Amino acid sequence: MAVPLNAAKANSRKLRTKRSSVSLKPIMSNRYLYLMLLPTVLYFLIFEYKPMYGAIIAFKDFNPFAGVAGSPWVGFKNFEKFFESYYFFRLLKNTFLMSFYSLLFIFPASLAFALLLNELRLKKLKSFLQTVSYLPHFISLIVICGMIIDFTKPGGIINSLLLGIGIISEPIQFLILPEWFRTIYVGSGMWQSLGWNSIIYLAALSGINPSLYEAAVVDGAGRWKQLTHITLPGILPTVLILLILNVGTLLNVGWDKIILLYNPGTYVTADVISTFVYRRGVMEADYSFSAAVGLFNSAINFALLVLANRISRKTTENSLW
Amino acid sequence: MNVAKRKLALLLPVMTLLAALVSACGGSNNNAGSTAEPSASPGAQSSTSAPVEGSRSAGGLQVPIVADKLELSLWSPSGGNFRGTNFNEKLSFQQMEENTNIHINFQHSTEASAEAFSLLMSSGKLPDIIYNDLWGTDSGKYGAQGALLPLEDLIDQYAPNFKKILDSHPDIRGQITSPEGHIYYLPNLVLDSQDLTQMFPQVRSDWVEKLGLTMPQTTEDWYNMLKAFREQDPNGNGKKDEIPLVTVNLENIMMLFAPAFGVEYGFFVDNGEVKYGPNDPRFKDVVAYLNRLYKEQLLDPNYLVDTTFQTLTEKVTTDVAGAWFGWSGSYMGNFTTLMEGKHDTFKIAAAIPPKGPNGDQRHVSFRWQAAAHGLAVSSKTAHPEEVMKWLDYQYSEEGILLNNFGVEGKSYDLVNGEPVYKDEVTHPTNGLTNTQELLNHTIGGGSWATVADTRYAEQIRKANGQTENPLEIYKDYIDFDAKLPPVQFTAEENEIVVPLMADIQTYVAETINAQIMGRQSFDDYDKVMKQLEQMGIGEVLKQYQAAYERFKGK
């Protein structure tokens, strides 16, 4: 045991003495670790960073046959077109509200679900609940939306249930009424992701030292005190990091789900930036315009991320960077 | 893990989120350097035009087209009624390959979706030949971008069959020529406009008989009939489960009723002037009428959600739907064959267009021989000459017969010189509908860049048990002049129309649906028109008028 430790110390000492010339030795000695990193680095370079070059078409009048370099520059024209759009503020509002509600309801719900699962003493029931709650995560979105449409039909399960217990007297046309769209979107989102999102909290929970609980019990702490004084502080860093990351994607709503569920009757509340871009950019082949809108969306997300990170660092000393 | 590494590990996903957002626009720069586009002037091409040994003439076109087998690629949606996965499974294309010695690598998207097409065009990687059902309006745009090859010279040189058709039907040239004067696609042709298939209203005539009604003549008759369907339990199951009027979209409902009020849902022509339906004061009456239907649950209350043909088929075949608006074959024919032997009385009949309160009784439809759908040639092709010849083969007598009827002896026989489908095609016993079975043999009439043969439509109609031709009933009411022709915009006009219409279409779809459903009042329809003015409908109409006049001038 002691030998490799000493060797490492000797190694680092050697390094320090040879600071002038860059040594490949540490890299060589860890070459298999670096090799394992390589695919990831390549993945990001090729599939994530290289495509970012394409973002410049937001400032161009892009023609796929002239290429990115060959298309003429148009400055901020595409951005102006978007800001001047008749529906700009509605799109912004819908996008923000849809994401905000998702964050507001799904984020704490996943946490609460994980905490409740953690308190369960019956091992079998716990794993059953976990499995059931993970399931929707593995179903394709197309199928999920088909199920949502079926569930919310006038003769569907939700209407039957509400009629059965007497909350409503007439079936509700959920998918046609704009006032229901956000509820359906967020509600089904919770159903889809609750179990899956709770995994990371369960992992964090299992990392808490059990001796803390034992000590607390000895001190006479009940379940509630254990929760507030050990469990919650124990997973707080995880919660905050996830929260910051979620804020950073605040304006990214799942456009594919909205497109599968919305219709002209619900545009008022359902139409978001990305669905607008889909109708405009993909269907009308206005690529530069959609790139500009996408870039605008990213810029706001980035600003929100930085802001959330700063607030978190100032208040709790937990932050991404 | 040290602190720096952890920070990096957390930072990476953040960066990727950013990257993912903009990545949709990347990957299109691969052709920036490829300026060596294939020459459109045929003289520069290799001398493969020397007659191939053992060749014969198909209407002036020498076949086989090439001595050594050549492979060309073609992008096309495979269509909903085709049960196979690749068009080379069709006997007609196998025969065509034998005749022309050209093998087609079909690249299929499963749906005829504008999205799949748009993604193909934005990829910059194009096959030799591209199918689209909107070339009528799109070809000018993509042609100007340099994606498509102008075909005029190639047609003159290598397409004797197509040229013959152009020369004998001079109108067609104007219908497919872009504002800049180029032909970018070869269309589906219906040479006699009276033969054009139309969409028309279809009614459960056995219900009509059962309730002692007559087929509806006016919009009021329609209202009364639908009301009777709703209230008098024509399917006789004791439940009030009938949905009198079903549809896959609002457009079809509008095509049924709007002409009776003198307007259309979209753009139309009124005494030589292009107008936009929702921007016409008469449109208020259409909305009021549909609102009345919706309020009394005569129009499917779920029409905004059930938008697939599948849900409509389900409603028809479970005996709850009373009327709809659709095509002769894919609606009427499909339903009749699906219900064969499953229902004692199931019968559908075509209704004449309803007469409106002011006496308007018409069916607004197209009459242009050249359809908007067809095949275009990509500018990337390395074989423009062979591509042109293969396309021309589709218009030879041999090709027309292959595309419409399939292979002689396999799907049809010649009776007194006329092609007649075999019984196993018109009445298949393999569980397919005859439309589906037909598509195993041929490309089917009406969708390919060929000439649609009227003998095809007629035989299928009769096979579907429709002894009277619905188009005969319709002949007297078709208002060709009100239909806006497939006008093409110049790049400048496009620049004005596209962004304005993006907002206008959203506004109209939203407002009209809300008014039909009674969520918004249509009493002050002036407000809608004022709003449309504000959103620039006047500017859009100006461009449409210019494009229309250019079309007429041709």
Side-chain angles (χ1 to χ4, degrees), chain A residues 7-321:
Chain A
K9 260 185 201 157
N11 234 345
S12 63
R13 209 172 293 136
K14 235 187 252 166
L15 248 180
R16 231 172 279 142
T17 54
K18 276 206 218 166
R19 197 177 286 167
S20 55
S21 69
V22 179
S23 168
L24 281 178
K25 229 176 194 167
I27 295 181
M28 283 313 284
S29 61
N30 291 319
R31 59 188 175 280
Y32 294 113
L33 287 179
Y34 280 102
L35 207 62
M36 284 164 74
L37 183 68
L38 192 66
T40 317
V41 171
L42 282 179
Y43 169 83
F44 281 108
L45 283 178
I46 296 170
F47 294 106
E48 306 293 353
Y49 284 92
K50 183 174 163 274
M52 286 171 94
Y53 162 71
I56 63 169
I57 70 167
F59 305 96
K60 288 188 160 211
D61 191 2
F62 179 61
N63 170 356
F65 299 89
V68 174
S71 302
W73 293 99
V74 294
F76 284 93
K77 193 183 95 180
N78 290 311
F79 291 89
E80 281 161 19
K81 263 188 346 195
F82 179 52
F83 299 144
E84 283 166 8
S85 162
Y86 180 71
Y87 289 109
F88 174 68
F89 285 105
R90 183 173 92 179
L91 293 169
L92 204 61
K93 180 182 140 208
N94 282 345
T95 310
F96 175 76
L97 280 182
M98 207 96 82
S99 323
F100 178 70
Y101 287 145
S102 294
L103 187 66
L104 188 69
F105 290 105
I106 299 177
F107 188 79
S110 313
L111 178 61
F113 183 68
L115 291 175
L116 286 174
L117 272 184
N118 194 47
E119 295 295 317
L120 270 182
R121 288 285 174 262
L122 284 166
K123 273 268 157 56
K124 281 228 169 101
L125 181 65
K126 185 178 168 183
S127 57
F128 172 75
L129 283 179
Q130 268 184 293
T131 315
V132 168
S133 61
Y134 293 171
L135 270 180
H137 177 82
F138 296 103
I139 305 175
S140 125
L141 190 68
I142 301 270
V143 179
I144 289 272
C145 288
M147 289 166 84
I148 295 172
I149 291 171
D150 271 345
F151 288 170
T152 53
K153 269 188 177 163
I157 183 168
I158 295 180
N159 268 309
S160 310
L161 211 72
L162 293 177
L163 281 171
I165 53 176
I167 294 182
I168 53 173
S169 54
E170 279 276 303
I172 300 174
Q173 294 264 25
F174 286 107
L175 282 176
I176 290 178
L177 304 175
E179 57 266 35
W180 280 103
F181 193 86
R182 288 182 194 129
T183 312
I184 292 169
Y185 179 85
V186 176
S188 60
M190 194 181 287
W191 169 57
Q192 268 177 285
S193 58
L194 189 71
W196 189 254
N197 287 352
S198 67
I199 291 180
I200 196 158
Y201 299 122
L202 288 171
L205 285 169
S206 67
I208 298 174
N209 192 343
S211 60
L212 290 174
Y213 290 105
E214 286 158 21
V217 171
V218 171
D219 288 345
R223 303 275 299 262
W224 181 252
K225 288 279 180 198
Q226 289 175 37
L227 178 76
T228 51
H229 286 92
I230 301 170
T231 313
L232 277 181
I235 61 170
L236 191 67
T238 314
V239 174
L240 282 169
I241 296 289
L242 282 176
L243 185 66
I244 295 168
L245 284 173
N246 270 308
V247 168
T249 58
L250 195 61
L251 286 188
N252 290 0
V253 282
W255 62 277
D256 27 12
K257 195 167 137 195
I258 296 178
I259 283 184
L260 289 167
L261 291 178
Y262 80 165
N263 58 56
T266 47
Y267 278 172
V268 182
T269 52
D271 205 12
V272 296
I273 292 175
S274 46
T275 51
F276 176 77
V277 167
Y278 169 82
R279 288 206 306 280
R280 180 73 180 278
V282 180
M283 306 306 278
E284 305 280 348
D286 201 346
Y287 314 112
S288 291
F289 179 75
S290 29
V293 178
L295 210 59
F296 166 77
N297 209 353
S298 310
I300 293 193
N301 275 337
F302 187 66
L304 286 171
L305 179 79
V306 172
L307 190 71
N309 190 61
R310 175 162 300 170
I311 293 172
S312 176
R313 191 177 53 207
K314 284 268 162 63
T315 53
T316 67
E317 297 191 337
N318 280 298
S319 63
L320 283 176
W321 65 86

Side-chain angles (χ1 to χ4, degrees), chain B residues 36-37 74 85 160 194 208 265 342 349 364 483 523 534:
Chain B
E37 66 179 54
L74 190 157
T85 52
Q194 293 300 328
V208 172
Y265 189 34
K342 290 182 189 145
V364 175
K483 183 81 180 173
D523 291 334
Q534 252 173 41

Side-chain angles (χ1 to χ4, degrees), chain B residues 229-242 320:
Chain B
F229 282 176
R230 173 90 192 135
E231 284 166 358
Q232 298 177 26
D233 191 27
N235 66 12
N237 64 356
K239 279 188 261 172
K240 210 171 155 184
D241 58 352
E242 287 83 358
V320 295

Side-chain angles (χ1 to χ4, degrees), chain B residues 279-352:
Chain B
N279 194 39
D280 190 301
R282 290 172 289 183
F283 201 79
K284 182 184 169 182
D285 300 330
V286 185
V287 178
Y289 180 76
L290 290 177
N291 170 257
R292 195 166 108 193
L293 296 189
Y294 186 87
K295 216 166 44 193
E296 306 194 24
Q297 297 192 7
L298 308 182
L299 171 61
D300 188 352
N302 238 12
Y303 81 93
L304 273 178
V305 180
D306 291 350
T307 52
T308 61
F309 186 61
Q310 197 190 337
T311 51
L312 187 116
T313 307
E314 199 182 303
K315 287 170 190 165
V316 174
T317 52
T318 52
D319 210 17
V320 295
W324 52 87
F325 187 83
W327 299 96
S328 153
S330 57
Y331 277 71
M332 209 170 186
N334 251 341
F335 300 151
T336 326
T337 35
L338 278 172
M339 293 299 275
E340 221 163 35
K342 290 182 189 145
H343 192 286
D344 300 336
T345 58
F346 187 89
K347 221 178 118 211
I348 310 170
I352 56 167

Side-chain angles (χ1 to χ4, degrees), chain B residues 159-449:
Chain B
N161 289 300
F162 190 70
K163 195 165 156 28
K164 210 185 300 165
I165 295 173
L166 282 187
D167 291 344
S168 55
H169 298 80
D171 288 353
I172 296 178
R173 194 179 279 274
Q175 292 167 24
I176 57 173
T177 302
S178 78
E180 283 84 14
H182 293 296
I183 295 177
Y184 285 115
Y185 81 109
L186 300 196
N188 176 265
L189 291 174
V190 181
L191 295 181
D192 184 351
S193 62
Q194 293 300 328
D195 293 335
L196 285 162
T197 47
Q198 310 281 348
M199 290 178 96
F200 50 85
Q202 301 165 15
V203 176
R204 277 290 294 274
S205 52
D206 56 330
W207 285 12
V208 172
E209 274 168 41
K210 189 175 175 185
L211 301 180
L213 306 164
T214 48
M215 287 295 273
Q217 310 274 330
T218 65
T219 45
E220 267 327 279
D221 288 352
W222 267 88
Y223 169 78
N224 290 327
M225 178 189 76
L226 296 174
K227 201 162 175 61
F229 282 176
R230 173 90 192 135
E231 284 166 358
Q232 298 177 26
D233 191 27
N235 66 12
N237 64 356
K239 279 188 261 172
K240 210 171 155 184
D241 58 352
E242 287 83 358
I243 312 167
L245 184 60
V246 292
T247 186
V248 293
N249 55 39
L250 186 63
E251 281 80 2
N252 286 1
I253 294 291
M254 289 289 183
M255 279 167 83
L256 167 53
F257 292 118
F261 296 90
V263 287
E264 280 284 289
Y265 189 34
F267 292 95
F268 66 104
V269 183
D270 193 1
N271 287 326
E273 197 186 328
V274 181
K275 290 187 173 166
Y276 185 60
N279 194 39
D280 190 301
R282 290 172 289 183
F283 201 79
K284 182 184 169 182
D285 300 330
V286 185
V287 178
Y289 180 76
L290 290 177
N291 170 257
R292 195 166 108 193
L293 296 189
Y294 186 87
K295 216 166 44 193
E296 306 194 24
Q297 297 192 7
L298 308 182
L299 171 61
D300 188 352
N302 238 12
Y303 81 93
L304 273 178
V305 180
D306 291 350
T307 52
T308 61
F309 186 61
Q310 197 190 337
T311 51
L312 187 116
T313 307
E314 199 182 303
K315 287 170 190 165
V316 174
T317 52
T318 52
D319 210 17
V320 295
W324 52 87
F325 187 83
W327 299 96
S328 153
S330 57
Y331 277 71
M332 209 170 186
N334 251 341
F335 300 151
T336 326
T337 35
L338 278 172
M339 293 299 275
E340 221 163 35
K342 290 182 189 145
H343 192 286
D344 300 336
T345 58
F346 187 89
K347 221 178 118 211
I348 310 170
I352 56 167
K355 189 192 262 186
N358 298 325
D360 283 314
Q361 186 167 27
R362 55 206 189 100
H363 177 65
V364 175
S365 190
F366 49 83
R367 60 151 155 213
W368 299 279
Q369 294 103 326
H373 53 262
L375 299 172
V377 183
S378 96
S379 59
K380 308 257 169 220
T381 184
H383 307 278
E385 177 186 331
E386 289 82 359
V387 166
M388 197 63 232
K389 285 180 172 176
W390 186 83
L391 287 173
D392 187 57
Y393 182 77
Q394 315 298 317
Y395 296 91
S396 70
E397 233 167 281
E398 208 176 293
I400 294 171
L401 213 53
L402 264 180
N403 281 326
N404 282 279
F405 283 91
V407 180
E408 190 187 342
K410 291 203 168 127
S411 51
Y412 75 97
D413 295 310
L414 276 181
V415 180
N416 301 329
E418 297 282 319
V420 176
Y421 285 118
K422 281 177 173 294
D423 208 40
E424 56 258 43
V425 175
T426 47
H427 298 93
T429 50
N430 51 5
L432 298 180
T433 68
N434 53 20
T435 313
Q436 290 165 349
E437 172 61 14
L438 190 67
L439 290 175
N440 288 334
H441 293 278
T442 75
I443 195 73
S447 62
W448 195 245

